[in-house]
Structure formats: structure tokens, C-alpha cells
Amino acid sequence: MHDSRETHPRAFVAGYPIKHSRSPLIHGFWLERLGLRGSYEKLAISPEDFPAFITDLKKGVSGYVGGNITIPHKEVACRLADRIEPLAEELGAANTLWVHDGEVHGTNTDGIGFVSNLDSEKPGWDRSEVAVVLGAGGASRAILQSLRDRGLREIRVVNRTVERAQELVDRFGPRLSAHPMAALPELMRDAGLFVNTTSLGMDGSEAPDLPFERMPSGSLVTDIVYVPLKTPFLEKAERAGLATVDGLGMLLHQAVPGFEKWFGKRPEVTAELRRVILADIGEVR
Ligand code: ATR
């Protein structure tokens, strides 16, 4: 007898390790709420096995319609995919793959997730022309690219290792500039947006005491860290009377384009979805 489950689209998140990924919770929530048949599974794939995984994906052996790629495979996925969207090509990293006519296509939705979160939580945030971005690691790139593409005039990249910030300036162009940590107080004085892209403040770790009170009133502070939801940076910014947006929304919004590609319906980021993820994190409020 025909097994109808075989025709349901199956998607994955592949990483190493993968245990802590919350993506299955997000996509599972949407599949259920939209009444769609489909599945989304966690796959622990080692770096040695990853190229064969992509080959099988192309051949249709595994039966997946596509999936998310996470640490440490985003760069390799970008190289192994048959077609990469220009935005992901510039980043050199793909987090979303889909199979079409025997070819693996790839893009990166982290930047879209970042700006969509701000658009939804603080419309008009992009009227500020000057941004300070702390950090120059993997997470910083997509954010810098998305701020540049949104048209911000000046993006100041601040990093402990200033050479890493300079590499990103060289990559993303003249509207960016690189600075050491010591320059932060001065750089924040006329900035309308501050973004933390480092792990500082994550899981109770220390974060430097930054002078948010020096930023112009009406400025926005956001953080990619979402455990805790109210990070030390957000707490200090709030105390200084600034607007804040937490990092959970970026995680939820970056998942939207992939879901739409694999399962055919555009899902919404709702307060209920936030509550489900917060409960999982242990931050029910
Ligand atoms: P990810 O891919 O998650 O961004 P990463 O590539 O290791 O991780 O980058 C971590 C970022 O946090 C970097 O900008 C790092 O600064 P360096 O480039 O100087 O290493 C920053 N970071 C981590 N711990 C830090 C600390 N104690 N003080 C200042 N910056 C820190």
C-alpha cells in the first residue's frame, strides 16, 4: 500500500553539535499551526561526513526538500551548493538550502532575520544613520551586510582584535570603519543604533560597562544574545532610558524564508511562538 507520509516534505537542520538547536521547535510549531504535513529534523553531521551529505541531497537520496545549516558547516555549504544567492556569496556562508531540479540552492537569512526583527519591534529604527556594531565574528557579518544594504550611512565596527574588524570593513565597503574597544565611548555619542554581536553577557557571563547614557535619546540598543533574554547590555541601555529589542526575534525571523521555501506557506512570528521558545529556554514571563 502507498505510504502517504513519503510525499510529505521533509526538512532538516544540520550541524555539529546539534543537540541545542531550537529550530525544530520553531518549524514544528508552524507546521502544526498552519495544518501542514511535513517534518523538520535535527541531524548531527560531522565535518568529514558533510560533503557526502550534500551529494546525497543533490541526488535526492535522502528525500529532503532542503534544510538549515548551522555551525560549523555554513562556509562549506556555501562552497558545495550548486547555486548561491549573491548575498550569501558575499558573506561566504549559507544557512538555508533547498533542492530544485537536482541542484542544491543556498542563501543566508541571518541578515533578513536581524532587520525583520527590528522592523517588527521598532519600526522606523532605520532612520538612524550611524550604527555601532560590537564584534567581528561569524555572527557580525550578516548584520553588517544587512545594515549596509538597508542604507545606513556609517557603520562603526568595534572589536577587541581590531584587525578582524578591518577585514570586515575591507569586505563590506567604505561605509564601514574599524575601531578598538577603547574608542567605544566616543563612537557611541552620536550613534542611533548599538548592536552586540559578541557572546559577552551570554549565560550570565560578564559584559563591559558601556556608557549607554551618552547615546542620543531615542537611540536603539539590540543584542543577538537571547539567553538571558534581558542581557546585561539591554538592561543597562534600558536603565539609561534607551529603546531596546531583544535577540530572540532574530532567531525566529531568520527561520521564515526557509519554511516558506520547503513547505510552501509563509509563517508568522507571533507572541505565541515567542512564548513557546521562551518556555523551552526557561524564561517564561
Ligand atoms: P561568532 O561566530 O559566534 O560571532 P566568533 O567568531 O568566535 O563567534 O566571534 C566572537 C566575537 O566576540 C568576536 O568579535 C570576539 O572578539 P575577537 O575577534 O577579538 O576574539 C568577541 N569576543 C569574545 N569574547 C570577548 C571578550 N571577552 N571581550 C571582547 N570581545 C570578545
Side-chain angles (χ1 to χ4, degrees):
M1 216 175 106
H2 178 69
D3 183 350
S4 65
R5 281 173 306 179
E6 281 173 16
T7 59
H8 300 157
R10 292 169 58 219
F12 61 82
V13 54
Y16 200 72
I18 197 62
K19 207 167 148 228
H20 298 294
S21 171
R22 295 199 169 82
S23 293
L25 208 54
I26 300 171
H27 292 283
F29 175 91
W30 283 331
L31 283 168
E32 196 207 308
R33 286 310 139 105
L34 292 168
L36 297 173
R37 303 278 203 111
S39 69
Y40 184 96
E41 18 184 313
K42 273 186 210 179
L43 303 176
I45 299 186
S46 70
E48 300 83 70
D49 291 341
F50 193 73
F53 173 72
I54 295 292
T55 306
D56 286 353
L57 193 61
K58 283 180 202 185
K59 290 188 193 152
V61 176
S62 45
Y64 291 114
V65 293
N68 284 124
I69 301 298
T70 187
I71 293 166
H73 302 313
K74 289 185 185 187
E75 287 79 14
V76 183
C78 189
R79 288 199 294 275
L80 296 178
D82 301 296
R83 289 170 194 261
I84 285 289
E85 290 189 350
L87 167 144
E89 184 94 59
E90 187 191 34
L91 282 177
N95 76 340
T96 303
L97 302 180
W98 62 101
V99 186
H100 184 73
D101 284 345
E103 288 188 319
V104 172
H105 295 241
T107 192
N108 195 304
T109 64
D110 287 333
I112 297 170
F114 176 74
V115 296
S116 301
N117 184 35
L118 297 190
D119 283 341
S120 120
E121 299 295 318
K122 187 81 170 53
W125 67 272
D126 54 347
R127 279 196 293 270
S128 59
E129 299 201 299
V130 179
V132 170
V133 177
L134 179 60
S140 171
R141 296 170 178 220
I143 289 173
L144 295 175
Q145 185 190 46
S146 68
L147 290 174
R148 180 201 63 189
D149 292 349
R150 192 43 96 86
L152 268 72
R153 178 167 57 82
E154 220 190 302
I155 302 157
R156 300 165 176 168
V157 191
V158 179
N159 201 42
R160 179 176 59 181
T161 315
V162 77
E163 292 78 14
R164 284 187 91 191
Q166 187 57 48
E167 281 169 26
L168 298 187
V169 171
D170 296 342
R171 181 185 284 244
F172 295 113
R175 275 189 277 138
L176 282 72
S177 54
H179 308 268
M181 296 283 279
L184 266 175
E186 192 54 30
L187 296 169
M188 288 166 77
R189 233 165 32 88
D190 61 342
L193 175 67
F194 177 94
V195 187
N196 174 45
T197 74
T198 73
S199 54
L200 290 167
M202 191 191 283
D203 286 326
S205 68
E206 284 280 308
D209 190 12
L210 301 182
F212 291 107
E213 65 285 351
R214 290 206 196 181
M215 288 180 77
S217 63
S219 296
L220 173 65
V221 174
T222 186
D223 202 324
I224 64 158
V225 172
Y226 58 89
V227 183
L229 196 60
K230 193 179 281 187
T231 65
F233 287 134
L234 295 182
E235 184 147 13
K236 281 172 196 163
E238 206 175 275
R239 256 190 271 129
L242 302 183
T244 60
V245 172
D246 67 59
L248 179 59
M250 177 178 173
L251 173 75
L252 305 179
H253 282 279
Q254 66 77 31
V256 170
F259 186 96
E260 187 176 17
K261 276 202 192 312
W262 309 316
F263 302 117
K265 268 198 182 172
R266 191 166 180 84
E268 272 183 52
V269 173
T270 59
E272 195 191 356
L273 173 60
R274 263 181 76 89
R275 278 197 296 276
V276 168
I277 308 301
L278 285 173
D280 186 63
I281 296 170
E283 284 233 25
V284 192
R285 51 191 60 218

